[in-house]
């Protein structure tokens, strides 16, 4: 992530290091809970999940219906739910305890999916990510321009991560594949003449430089 690599890049390019420090990551918690199917308005939850507009007064961002997507994840008489809560418009979440986060998610589910008399949730997992997903805020294009200039001025330096080309899983995979090809071409001297091809010593130095590839 950008906040982890900024100090390293600053040794090579102060402007790029400063730009990486400007990428904002708000806190997000993932909370996995299970309830008996009898506790739901729709026991079989036919679908992918649900997103919650802020206008509905629900704090949880959204819920993935895991047991509907992946059969066998829980007993047949239960539904398994993966919830996300927090984000750039709810940074106060990062100050809550795990118990408080669980209670909030349970309250929200009772407003959306559960019957009022639903039993307490069975908690299977809760993780608070203080710096979760990079936000593409105003000024992000200037950050990307600084990173492009840094790479252009330092051949063999490759900066990669979801702060550059999107946070979706598919975008991250494609970016990784594209940059893997670029690193391979660089280390193999693709596009160079025999006179320009790196010497063994230079190739070793280039390999060290190319290893500075960050991931999500």
């Amino acid at each position: 992530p950008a906040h982890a690599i900024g100090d390293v890049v600053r040794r090579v390019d102060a402007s790029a290091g400063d730009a990486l420090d400007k990428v904002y990551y708000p806190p997000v918690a993932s909370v996995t809970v299970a309830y008996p199917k009898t506790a739901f308005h729709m026991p079989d939850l036919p679908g992918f999940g649900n997103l919650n507009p802020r206008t509905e007064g629900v704090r949880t961002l959204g819920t993935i219906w895991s047991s509907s997507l992946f059969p066998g994840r829980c007993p047949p008489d239960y539904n398994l739910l993966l919830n996300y809560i927090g984000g750039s418009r709810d940074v106060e979440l990062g100050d809550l305890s795990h118990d408080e986060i669980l209670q909030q998610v349970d309250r929200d589910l009772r407003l959306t999916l559960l019957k009022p008399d639903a039993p307490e949730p069975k908690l299977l997992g809760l993780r608070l990510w203080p710096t979760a997903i990079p936000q593409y805020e105003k000024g992000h294009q200037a950050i990307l321009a600084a990173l492009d200039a840094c790479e252009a001025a330092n051949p063999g330096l490759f900066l990669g991560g979801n702060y550059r080309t999107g946070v979706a899983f598919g975008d991250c995979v494609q970016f990784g594949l594209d940059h893997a090809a670029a690193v391979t071409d660089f280390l193999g001297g693709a596009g160079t003449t025999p006179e320009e091809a790196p010497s063994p010593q230079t190739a070793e130095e280039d390999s060290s430089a190319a290893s500075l590839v960050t991931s999500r």
Side-chain angles (χ1 to χ4, degrees):
H3 56 80
I5 199 65
D7 287 342
V8 177
V9 174
R10 190 173 289 106
R11 303 172 192 173
V12 178
D13 187 314
S15 296
D18 292 342
L20 287 165
D21 288 344
K22 294 177 182 177
V23 180
Y24 174 51
Y25 290 75
V28 173
S30 60
V31 184
T32 303
V33 292
Y35 298 87
K37 287 187 175 181
T38 55
F40 290 79
H41 295 294
M42 296 186 299
D44 292 328
L45 292 181
F48 175 90
N50 60 282
L51 297 175
N52 303 311
R54 292 292 185 188
T55 54
E56 293 184 354
V58 178
R59 192 171 184 181
T60 299
L61 296 169
T63 301
I64 296 175
W65 304 345
S66 300
S67 51
S68 295
L69 286 171
F70 308 105
R73 288 292 181 94
C74 66
D77 56 340
Y78 271 79
N79 283 324
L80 184 67
L81 308 174
L82 171 57
N83 305 272
Y84 290 100
I85 183 170
S88 61
R89 300 178 67 182
D90 189 11
V91 296
E92 295 81 9
L93 176 100
D95 298 325
L96 300 183
S97 68
H98 282 198
D99 285 343
E100 290 171 326
I101 293 173
L102 175 60
Q103 291 170 11
Q104 181 63 61
V105 168
D106 179 63
R107 284 195 294 269
D108 291 341
L109 289 171
R110 293 174 190 276
L111 294 174
T112 53
L113 299 174
L114 299 175
K115 298 176 181 178
D117 60 348
E120 292 298 306
K122 293 183 180 295
L123 176 65
L124 283 82
L126 193 158
R127 177 70 181 268
L128 173 62
W129 305 89
T131 51
I133 302 173
Q135 304 297 297
Y136 286 50
E137 299 186 314
K138 183 178 180 180
H140 197 76
Q141 287 292 342
I143 294 174
L144 298 180
L147 302 183
D148 290 341
C150 177
E151 287 183 333
N154 298 277
L157 173 64
F158 297 89
L159 299 170
N162 60 357
Y163 53 86
R164 293 195 75 176
T165 56
V167 300
F169 179 75
D171 291 334
C172 293
V173 171
Q174 188 60 56
F175 183 77
L177 292 172
D178 293 343
H179 259 52
V183 172
T184 299
D185 287 346
F186 176 81
L187 296 179
T192 61
T193 65
E195 294 77 16
E196 296 171 330
S199 66
Q201 180 178 359
T202 303
E204 182 177 351
E205 295 170 352
D206 289 342
S207 178
S208 298
S211 66
L212 186 56
V213 180
T214 64
S215 64
R216 179 179 179 184

